[in-house]
Amino acid sequence: MADNERKITPISDLGEFKLIEHLTNKNKIINESTEKAIGDDAAVLDYKNKKVVVTTDMLAEGIHFDLTYVPMKHLGYKSIIVNLSDLAAMNAVPEQVTVSLAISSKFSVEALEELYEGIYMACEKYGVDLIGGDTTASLTGLIISVTALGSATEKELVYRNGAKKNDIICVTGDLGGSYMGLHLLEREKNVFKDNPKVQPKLEGYDYILSRILKPEARTDMKKVFIDLGVQPTSMMDISDGLSSEVLHICKQSGVGAKIYEDRIPMDMQTRAMAEELNINPIVAALNGGEDYELLFTLPLADHDKIRNHPDITVIGHITDASEGTFMQLVGGNEVELTAQGWNPLKNKEE
Ligand code: ADP
Ligand code: MG
């Protein structure tokens, strides 16, 4: 069947109960902690002697995603990932998710099947069980709310408030890619609007596109920390941009920070796209967000244990609260970090 002949079944053909059954009948349960999943009035979990970690995130069409360039499958995948990233930031192991949807009549059964394909793909990859949710109608647009549950022992849990003076500040992976991927998509969307016959120019930018369309959660870091023999003193995921996350950790830990512009890890494609669009790539890393990497602090004594790890970069250190939160630029000047990135008009010397 050609693409333009694809079957479109209105949701009203199935109704709520049949739709839920249709979307969830292939659901597989893998975790021991899941006693009862979809099908009853509520799910039942057994976490034995572990702590239960719970997080929830809501994504609204037109606010958090744009369906003109985000395929439903990617949206389903990402809606799970953003929650698993929050569990990773607590140093917890993800175990279950619930998925709640408000759907308008413009969505077909097939569109929701695609959404669930992405949801199941993420569940499988990260070893989590889909244990329930809710389904309702919306007047316009799609709303997806995911709740994720995970486990950790009390000792393993990492909060935002444990950073201490002289701790080193580290990040996983690289930053700013998602933001530059979004800019690329926006540019091509505008080109398409003006002339639908023009093919989008996306070649050579596969990495930054995957960063925005198919992000991953750093749930792998829990094992890395164990293997390296370190326990972060504070941690959070980078969803709003490095700058605002550093400020969160400093505020909650009652400390200051100094980070270095030239140490912030960025991919070649991020830099290339930034150059093409005349954007300072450091802005993408500081303010961009949606990278879903982890920002964490470690005692200075642990520096040697992590210094050769390819996925960890030391970007600075924790200072006394009275010293504020600053970034040292390549030229040596210091600029204060703000929630929107840094404020170039406010120098430390002044
Ligand atoms: P109730 O009327 O008790 O809210 P529902 O008919 O809404 O029950 O849901 C029936 C079952 O299907 C429950 O186990 C619920 O968790 C699950 N469920 C409902 N909507 C979804 C969804 N969108 N995704 C996954 N599971 C769902
Ligand atoms: Mg319900």
Side-chain angles (χ1 to χ4, degrees):
M1 206 178 340
D3 245 17
N4 53 4
E5 291 169 37
R6 268 172 60 175
K7 206 165 156 235
I8 294 175
T9 314
I11 287 167
S12 52
D13 276 14
L14 292 188
E16 183 193 329
F17 297 124
K18 277 207 182 130
L19 176 69
I20 297 171
E21 152 70 18
H22 183 75
L23 294 173
T24 61
N25 61 12
K26 288 192 216 107
N27 194 26
K28 285 192 287 292
I29 298 305
I30 53 173
N31 285 312
E32 243 174 58
S33 57
T34 308
E35 262 187 23
K36 175 82 199 172
I38 295 171
D40 217 303
D41 297 301
V44 180
L45 307 176
D46 184 356
Y47 271 69
K48 303 259 167 26
N49 49 4
K50 292 264 181 90
K51 298 270 179 192
V52 187
V53 184
V54 184
T55 181
T56 196
D57 249 307
M58 183 144 60
L59 302 177
E61 184 179 350
I63 309 284
H64 302 99
F65 57 90
D66 182 338
L67 287 170
T68 49
Y69 52 65
V70 178
M72 288 294 268
K73 190 169 160 184
H74 289 74
L75 180 60
Y77 192 87
K78 189 168 176 174
S79 67
I80 301 297
I81 295 303
V82 299
N83 282 277
L84 302 188
S85 178
D86 281 323
L87 293 182
M90 299 299 292
N91 205 25
V93 176
E95 303 211 28
Q96 289 89 15
V97 288
T98 66
V99 174
S100 298
L101 304 174
I103 318 160
S104 72
S105 57
K106 76 175 183 200
F107 292 94
S108 64
V109 173
E110 287 77 14
L112 293 174
E113 279 171 1
E114 275 177 43
L115 182 81
Y116 270 75
E117 239 181 83
I119 289 172
Y120 284 126
M121 194 185 269
C123 286
E124 209 165 288
K125 177 158 183 187
Y126 288 86
V128 301
D129 297 328
L130 175 62
I131 56 158
D134 198 23
T135 309
T136 186
S138 101
L139 284 182
T140 57
L142 175 66
I143 295 171
I144 308 172
S145 172
V146 174
T147 297
L149 300 103
S151 65
T153 63
E154 182 151 14
K155 268 170 72 185
E156 289 166 341
L157 284 172
V158 182
Y159 297 91
R160 295 178 179 183
N161 64 4
K164 301 272 181 312
K165 188 177 172 181
N166 296 327
D167 280 358
I168 51 174
I169 304 174
C170 308
V171 294
T172 60
D174 56 76
L175 302 178
S178 189
Y179 182 75
M180 292 322 306
L182 180 65
H183 271 271
L184 174 61
L185 288 173
E186 287 284 351
R187 181 181 78 179
E188 295 308 313
K189 178 183 159 185
N190 288 331
V191 171
F192 182 80
K193 264 193 202 148
D194 294 341
N195 185 355
K197 287 197 187 118
V198 175
Q199 287 293 312
K201 282 205 209 82
L202 303 171
E203 313 84 50
Y205 287 120
D206 51 319
Y207 179 68
I208 58 172
L209 286 175
S210 77
R211 295 294 280 169
I212 178 78
L213 292 175
K214 194 169 174 286
E216 304 291 352
R218 297 309 304 248
T219 53
D220 58 320
M221 289 307 292
K222 185 179 174 117
K223 182 168 182 300
V224 172
F225 294 142
I226 293 170
D227 291 348
L228 295 175
V230 299
Q231 166 79 3
T233 49
S234 70
M235 182 155 65
M236 67 183 294
D237 68 332
I238 305 176
S239 55
D240 295 335
L242 179 65
S243 190
S244 108
E245 320 302 21
V246 169
L247 288 171
H248 278 302
I249 284 197
C250 287
K251 186 160 182 229
Q252 297 214 21
S253 300
V255 294
K258 182 161 172 194
I259 63 171
Y260 296 82
E261 181 185 17
D262 59 359
R263 294 198 199 158
I264 294 172
M266 273 180 287
D267 187 80
M268 291 279 293
Q269 287 189 13
T270 305
R271 291 183 197 277
M273 191 76 242
E275 194 173 328
E276 220 180 296
L277 297 179
N278 225 342
I279 294 172
N280 183 344
I282 208 79
V283 173
L286 287 180
N287 312 355
E290 295 221 71
D291 285 315
Y292 301 107
E293 295 295 340
L294 294 174
L295 167 70
F296 59 94
T297 53
L298 289 174
L300 179 58
D302 284 340
H303 196 182
D304 279 346
K305 297 184 189 166
I306 56 107
R307 73 183 330 149
N308 292 321
H309 196 281
D311 263 5
I312 300 176
T313 308
V314 179
I315 60 163
H317 58 268
I318 296 292
T319 59
D320 198 79
S322 64
E323 293 177 60
T325 44
F326 286 86
M327 179 169 73
Q328 184 171 317
L329 301 176
V330 174
N333 282 345
E334 288 191 359
V335 287
E336 187 168 20
L337 293 173
T338 70
Q340 299 81 42
W342 83 90
N343 183 349
L345 300 177
K346 195 168 175 196
N347 274 314
K348 196 180 185 181
E349 293 77 31
E350 283 163 14

PDB file of all heavy atoms in Angstrom, residues 1-11 13-14 22 106-114:
ATOM      1  N   MET A   1       0.835  -1.201   0.000  1.00  0.00           N
ATOM      2  CA  MET A   1       0.000   0.000   0.000  1.00  0.00           C
ATOM      3  C   MET A   1       0.879   1.264   0.000  1.00  0.00           C
ATOM      4  O   MET A   1       1.822   1.363   0.768  1.00  0.00           O
ATOM      5  CB  MET A   1      -0.881  -0.002   1.253  1.00  0.00           C
ATOM      6  CG  MET A   1      -2.140   0.783   1.043  1.00  0.00           C
ATOM      7  SD  MET A   1      -3.282   0.818   2.439  1.00  0.00           S
ATOM      8  CE  MET A   1      -2.888  -0.532   3.486  1.00  0.00           C
ATOM      9  N   ALA A   2       0.590   2.188  -0.873  1.00  0.00           N
ATOM     10  CA  ALA A   2       1.364   3.425  -0.898  1.00  0.00           C
ATOM     11  C   ALA A   2       1.057   4.247   0.343  1.00  0.00           C
ATOM     12  O   ALA A   2       0.032   4.049   0.985  1.00  0.00           O
ATOM     13  CB  ALA A   2       1.028   4.230  -2.155  1.00  0.00           C
ATOM     14  N   ASP A   3       1.979   5.151   0.646  1.00  0.00           N
ATOM     15  CA  ASP A   3       1.845   5.941   1.859  1.00  0.00           C
ATOM     16  C   ASP A   3       0.530   6.711   1.924  1.00  0.00           C
ATOM     17  O   ASP A   3      -0.125   6.772   2.956  1.00  0.00           O
ATOM     18  CB  ASP A   3       3.011   6.926   1.932  1.00  0.00           C
ATOM     19  CG  ASP A   3       3.902   6.607   3.122  1.00  0.00           C
ATOM     20  OD1 ASP A   3       3.767   5.463   3.627  1.00  0.00           O
ATOM     21  OD2 ASP A   3       4.692   7.471   3.517  1.00  0.00           O
ATOM     22  N   ASN A   4       0.142   7.297   0.762  1.00  0.00           N
ATOM     23  CA  ASN A   4      -1.055   8.128   0.777  1.00  0.00           C
ATOM     24  C   ASN A   4      -2.356   7.316   0.823  1.00  0.00           C
ATOM     25  O   ASN A   4      -3.439   7.859   0.910  1.00  0.00           O
ATOM     26  CB  ASN A   4      -1.064   9.083  -0.421  1.00  0.00           C
ATOM     27  CG  ASN A   4      -0.860   8.354  -1.726  1.00  0.00           C
ATOM     28  OD1 ASN A   4      -0.791   7.124  -1.733  1.00  0.00           O
ATOM     29  ND2 ASN A   4      -0.783   9.095  -2.818  1.00  0.00           N
ATOM     30  N   GLU A   5      -2.194   5.979   0.741  1.00  0.00           N
ATOM     31  CA  GLU A   5      -3.396   5.141   0.856  1.00  0.00           C
ATOM     32  C   GLU A   5      -3.501   4.503   2.235  1.00  0.00           C
ATOM     33  O   GLU A   5      -4.289   3.588   2.437  1.00  0.00           O
ATOM     34  CB  GLU A   5      -3.347   4.006  -0.179  1.00  0.00           C
ATOM     35  CG  GLU A   5      -3.496   4.463  -1.616  1.00  0.00           C
ATOM     36  CD  GLU A   5      -3.170   3.308  -2.563  1.00  0.00           C
ATOM     37  OE1 GLU A   5      -3.507   2.164  -2.244  1.00  0.00           O
ATOM     38  OE2 GLU A   5      -2.544   3.569  -3.591  1.00  0.00           O
ATOM     39  N   ARG A   6      -2.642   4.961   3.164  1.00  0.00           N
ATOM     40  CA  ARG A   6      -2.637   4.312   4.490  1.00  0.00           C
ATOM     41  C   ARG A   6      -3.988   4.395   5.157  1.00  0.00           C
ATOM     42  O   ARG A   6      -4.693   5.390   5.068  1.00  0.00           O
ATOM     43  CB  ARG A   6      -1.577   4.941   5.371  1.00  0.00           C
ATOM     44  CG  ARG A   6      -0.271   4.163   5.237  1.00  0.00           C
ATOM     45  CD  ARG A   6       0.839   4.831   5.910  1.00  0.00           C
ATOM     46  NE  ARG A   6       0.576   4.995   7.340  1.00  0.00           N
ATOM     47  CZ  ARG A   6       1.482   5.490   8.151  1.00  0.00           C
ATOM     48  NH1 ARG A   6       2.650   5.846   7.707  1.00  0.00           N
ATOM     49  NH2 ARG A   6       1.209   5.640   9.431  1.00  0.00           N
ATOM     50  N   LYS A   7      -4.329   3.318   5.862  1.00  0.00           N
ATOM     51  CA  LYS A   7      -5.632   3.205   6.487  1.00  0.00           C
ATOM     52  C   LYS A   7      -5.762   4.237   7.615  1.00  0.00           C
ATOM     53  O   LYS A   7      -4.833   4.453   8.384  1.00  0.00           O
ATOM     54  CB  LYS A   7      -5.747   1.800   7.072  1.00  0.00           C
ATOM     55  CG  LYS A   7      -7.158   1.335   7.192  1.00  0.00           C
ATOM     56  CD  LYS A   7      -7.217  -0.162   7.430  1.00  0.00           C
ATOM     57  CE  LYS A   7      -8.516  -0.482   8.096  1.00  0.00           C
ATOM     58  NZ  LYS A   7      -8.383  -1.207   9.325  1.00  0.00           N
ATOM     59  N   ILE A   8      -6.905   4.872   7.688  1.00  0.00           N
ATOM     60  CA  ILE A   8      -7.143   5.814   8.776  1.00  0.00           C
ATOM     61  C   ILE A   8      -8.460   5.449   9.459  1.00  0.00           C
ATOM     62  O   ILE A   8      -9.529   5.563   8.875  1.00  0.00           O
ATOM     63  CB  ILE A   8      -7.195   7.264   8.255  1.00  0.00           C
ATOM     64  CG1 ILE A   8      -5.811   7.656   7.726  1.00  0.00           C
ATOM     65  CG2 ILE A   8      -7.633   8.224   9.341  1.00  0.00           C
ATOM     66  CD1 ILE A   8      -5.750   9.005   7.084  1.00  0.00           C
ATOM     67  N   THR A   9      -8.333   4.963  10.677  1.00  0.00           N
ATOM     68  CA  THR A   9      -9.517   4.551  11.423  1.00  0.00           C
ATOM     69  C   THR A   9      -9.822   5.588  12.492  1.00  0.00           C
ATOM     70  O   THR A   9      -8.982   5.852  13.349  1.00  0.00           O
ATOM     71  CB  THR A   9      -9.259   3.192  12.126  1.00  0.00           C
ATOM     72  OG1 THR A   9      -8.645   2.311  11.189  1.00  0.00           O
ATOM     73  CG2 THR A   9     -10.538   2.595  12.681  1.00  0.00           C
ATOM     74  N   PRO A  10     -11.009   6.207  12.457  1.00  0.00           N
ATOM     75  CA  PRO A  10     -11.329   7.174  13.513  1.00  0.00           C
ATOM     76  C   PRO A  10     -11.411   6.467  14.875  1.00  0.00           C
ATOM     77  O   PRO A  10     -11.843   5.308  14.943  1.00  0.00           O
ATOM     78  CB  PRO A  10     -12.710   7.708  13.124  1.00  0.00           C
ATOM     79  CG  PRO A  10     -13.014   7.146  11.785  1.00  0.00           C
ATOM     80  CD  PRO A  10     -12.096   6.009  11.511  1.00  0.00           C
ATOM     81  N   ILE A  11     -10.969   7.163  15.910  1.00  0.00           N
ATOM     82  CA  ILE A  11     -10.997   6.561  17.250  1.00  0.00           C
ATOM     83  C   ILE A  11     -12.422   6.189  17.643  1.00  0.00           C
ATOM     84  O   ILE A  11     -12.656   5.188  18.322  1.00  0.00           O
ATOM     85  CB  ILE A  11     -10.363   7.541  18.259  1.00  0.00           C
ATOM     86  CG1 ILE A  11      -8.848   7.548  18.033  1.00  0.00           C
ATOM     87  CG2 ILE A  11     -10.656   7.147  19.695  1.00  0.00           C
ATOM     88  CD1 ILE A  11      -8.130   8.653  18.720  1.00  0.00           C
ATOM     89  N   ASP A  13     -14.563   4.744  16.022  1.00  0.00           N
ATOM     90  CA  ASP A  13     -14.901   3.387  15.582  1.00  0.00           C
ATOM     91  C   ASP A  13     -14.680   2.357  16.687  1.00  0.00           C
ATOM     92  O   ASP A  13     -15.351   1.328  16.732  1.00  0.00           O
ATOM     93  CB  ASP A  13     -14.019   2.967  14.386  1.00  0.00           C
ATOM     94  CG  ASP A  13     -14.576   3.464  13.071  1.00  0.00           C
ATOM     95  OD1 ASP A  13     -15.468   4.349  13.106  1.00  0.00           O
ATOM     96  OD2 ASP A  13     -14.119   2.969  12.018  1.00  0.00           O
ATOM     97  N   LEU A  14     -13.694   2.625  17.544  1.00  0.00           N
ATOM     98  CA  LEU A  14     -13.364   1.660  18.598  1.00  0.00           C
ATOM     99  C   LEU A  14     -13.996   2.035  19.938  1.00  0.00           C
ATOM    100  O   LEU A  14     -14.458   1.168  20.663  1.00  0.00           O
ATOM    101  CB  LEU A  14     -11.844   1.562  18.794  1.00  0.00           C
ATOM    102  CG  LEU A  14     -11.009   0.949  17.676  1.00  0.00           C
ATOM    103  CD1 LEU A  14      -9.564   0.770  18.135  1.00  0.00           C
ATOM    104  CD2 LEU A  14     -11.563  -0.408  17.244  1.00  0.00           C
ATOM    105  N   HIS A  22      -6.811  -2.344  22.451  1.00  0.00           N
ATOM    106  CA  HIS A  22      -6.081  -2.421  21.189  1.00  0.00           C
ATOM    107  C   HIS A  22      -4.624  -1.984  21.355  1.00  0.00           C
ATOM    108  O   HIS A  22      -3.706  -2.589  20.794  1.00  0.00           O
ATOM    109  CB  HIS A  22      -6.793  -1.522  20.171  1.00  0.00           C
ATOM    110  CG  HIS A  22      -6.189  -1.550  18.804  1.00  0.00           C
ATOM    111  ND1 HIS A  22      -6.364  -2.611  17.946  1.00  0.00           N
ATOM    112  CD2 HIS A  22      -5.398  -0.663  18.164  1.00  0.00           C
ATOM    113  CE1 HIS A  22      -5.705  -2.361  16.820  1.00  0.00           C
ATOM    114  NE2 HIS A  22      -5.112  -1.190  16.925  1.00  0.00           N
ATOM    115  N   LYS A 106      -8.808  14.605  15.797  1.00  0.00           N
ATOM    116  CA  LYS A 106      -7.980  14.590  14.589  1.00  0.00           C
ATOM    117  C   LYS A 106      -7.006  13.410  14.563  1.00  0.00           C
ATOM    118  O   LYS A 106      -6.391  13.128  13.542  1.00  0.00           O
ATOM    119  CB  LYS A 106      -7.229  15.919  14.415  1.00  0.00           C
ATOM    120  CG  LYS A 106      -6.040  16.092  15.314  1.00  0.00           C
ATOM    121  CD  LYS A 106      -5.269  17.379  15.003  1.00  0.00           C
ATOM    122  CE  LYS A 106      -4.048  17.482  15.875  1.00  0.00           C
ATOM    123  NZ  LYS A 106      -3.488  18.802  16.031  1.00  0.00           N
ATOM    124  N   PHE A 107      -6.853  12.721  15.686  1.00  0.00           N
ATOM    125  CA  PHE A 107      -5.936  11.581  15.721  1.00  0.00           C
ATOM    126  C   PHE A 107      -6.672  10.287  15.386  1.00  0.00           C
ATOM    127  O   PHE A 107      -7.770  10.046  15.879  1.00  0.00           O
ATOM    128  CB  PHE A 107      -5.264  11.467  17.090  1.00  0.00           C
ATOM    129  CG  PHE A 107      -4.325  12.608  17.346  1.00  0.00           C
ATOM    130  CD1 PHE A 107      -4.758  13.734  18.027  1.00  0.00           C
ATOM    131  CD2 PHE A 107      -3.030  12.577  16.853  1.00  0.00           C
ATOM    132  CE1 PHE A 107      -3.918  14.806  18.236  1.00  0.00           C
ATOM    133  CE2 PHE A 107      -2.183  13.649  17.054  1.00  0.00           C
ATOM    134  CZ  PHE A 107      -2.620  14.762  17.742  1.00  0.00           C
ATOM    135  N   SER A 108      -6.014   9.480  14.547  1.00  0.00           N
ATOM    136  CA  SER A 108      -6.598   8.196  14.164  1.00  0.00           C
ATOM    137  C   SER A 108      -6.060   7.100  15.072  1.00  0.00           C
ATOM    138  O   SER A 108      -5.081   7.287  15.793  1.00  0.00           O
ATOM    139  CB  SER A 108      -6.225   7.877  12.720  1.00  0.00           C
ATOM    140  OG  SER A 108      -4.825   7.729  12.623  1.00  0.00           O
ATOM    141  N   VAL A 109      -6.691   5.932  14.989  1.00  0.00           N
ATOM    142  CA  VAL A 109      -6.200   4.760  15.722  1.00  0.00           C
ATOM    143  C   VAL A 109      -4.761   4.454  15.286  1.00  0.00           C
ATOM    144  O   VAL A 109      -3.898   4.152  16.107  1.00  0.00           O
ATOM    145  CB  VAL A 109      -7.122   3.546  15.476  1.00  0.00           C
ATOM    146  CG1 VAL A 109      -6.522   2.284  16.085  1.00  0.00           C
ATOM    147  CG2 VAL A 109      -8.513   3.812  16.050  1.00  0.00           C
ATOM    148  N   GLU A 110      -4.513   4.587  13.976  1.00  0.00           N
ATOM    149  CA  GLU A 110      -3.172   4.282  13.455  1.00  0.00           C
ATOM    150  C   GLU A 110      -2.107   5.244  14.030  1.00  0.00           C
ATOM    151  O   GLU A 110      -0.987   4.827  14.327  1.00  0.00           O
ATOM    152  CB  GLU A 110      -3.156   4.360  11.919  1.00  0.00           C
ATOM    153  CG  GLU A 110      -3.864   3.199  11.233  1.00  0.00           C
ATOM    154  CD  GLU A 110      -5.395   3.327  11.286  1.00  0.00           C
ATOM    155  OE1 GLU A 110      -5.907   4.412  11.611  1.00  0.00           O
ATOM    156  OE2 GLU A 110      -6.074   2.313  11.020  1.00  0.00           O
ATOM    157  N   ALA A 111      -2.484   6.507  14.188  1.00  0.00           N
ATOM    158  CA  ALA A 111      -1.535   7.468  14.757  1.00  0.00           C
ATOM    159  C   ALA A 111      -1.181   7.072  16.195  1.00  0.00           C
ATOM    160  O   ALA A 111      -0.023   7.153  16.611  1.00  0.00           O
ATOM    161  CB  ALA A 111      -2.127   8.872  14.722  1.00  0.00           C
ATOM    162  N   LEU A 112      -2.193   6.617  16.934  1.00  0.00           N
ATOM    163  CA  LEU A 112      -1.924   6.212  18.320  1.00  0.00           C
ATOM    164  C   LEU A 112      -1.128   4.913  18.377  1.00  0.00           C
ATOM    165  O   LEU A 112      -0.324   4.712  19.283  1.00  0.00           O
ATOM    166  CB  LEU A 112      -3.235   6.074  19.097  1.00  0.00           C
ATOM    167  CG  LEU A 112      -3.940   7.418  19.281  1.00  0.00           C
ATOM    168  CD1 LEU A 112      -5.303   7.230  19.916  1.00  0.00           C
ATOM    169  CD2 LEU A 112      -3.095   8.357  20.140  1.00  0.00           C
ATOM    170  N   GLU A 113      -1.348   4.059  17.391  1.00  0.00           N
ATOM    171  CA  GLU A 113      -0.526   2.833  17.314  1.00  0.00           C
ATOM    172  C   GLU A 113       0.947   3.203  17.176  1.00  0.00           C
ATOM    173  O   GLU A 113       1.813   2.602  17.801  1.00  0.00           O
ATOM    174  CB  GLU A 113      -0.929   1.987  16.098  1.00  0.00           C
ATOM    175  CG  GLU A 113      -2.152   1.135  16.329  1.00  0.00           C
ATOM    176  CD  GLU A 113      -2.659   0.477  15.048  1.00  0.00           C
ATOM    177  OE1 GLU A 113      -2.047   0.659  13.972  1.00  0.00           O
ATOM    178  OE2 GLU A 113      -3.690  -0.198  15.129  1.00  0.00           O
ATOM    179  N   GLU A 114       1.207   4.209  16.348  1.00  0.00           N
ATOM    180  CA  GLU A 114       2.599   4.662  16.176  1.00  0.00           C
ATOM    181  C   GLU A 114       3.154   5.222  17.474  1.00  0.00           C
ATOM    182  O   GLU A 114       4.301   4.960  17.844  1.00  0.00           O
ATOM    183  CB  GLU A 114       2.670   5.750  15.103  1.00  0.00           C
ATOM    184  CG  GLU A 114       2.761   5.203  13.705  1.00  0.00           C
ATOM    185  CD  GLU A 114       2.758   6.345  12.692  1.00  0.00           C
ATOM    186  OE1 GLU A 114       3.451   7.351  12.919  1.00  0.00           O
ATOM    187  OE2 GLU A 114       2.027   6.211  11.701  1.00  0.00           O
TER     188      GLU A 114
END
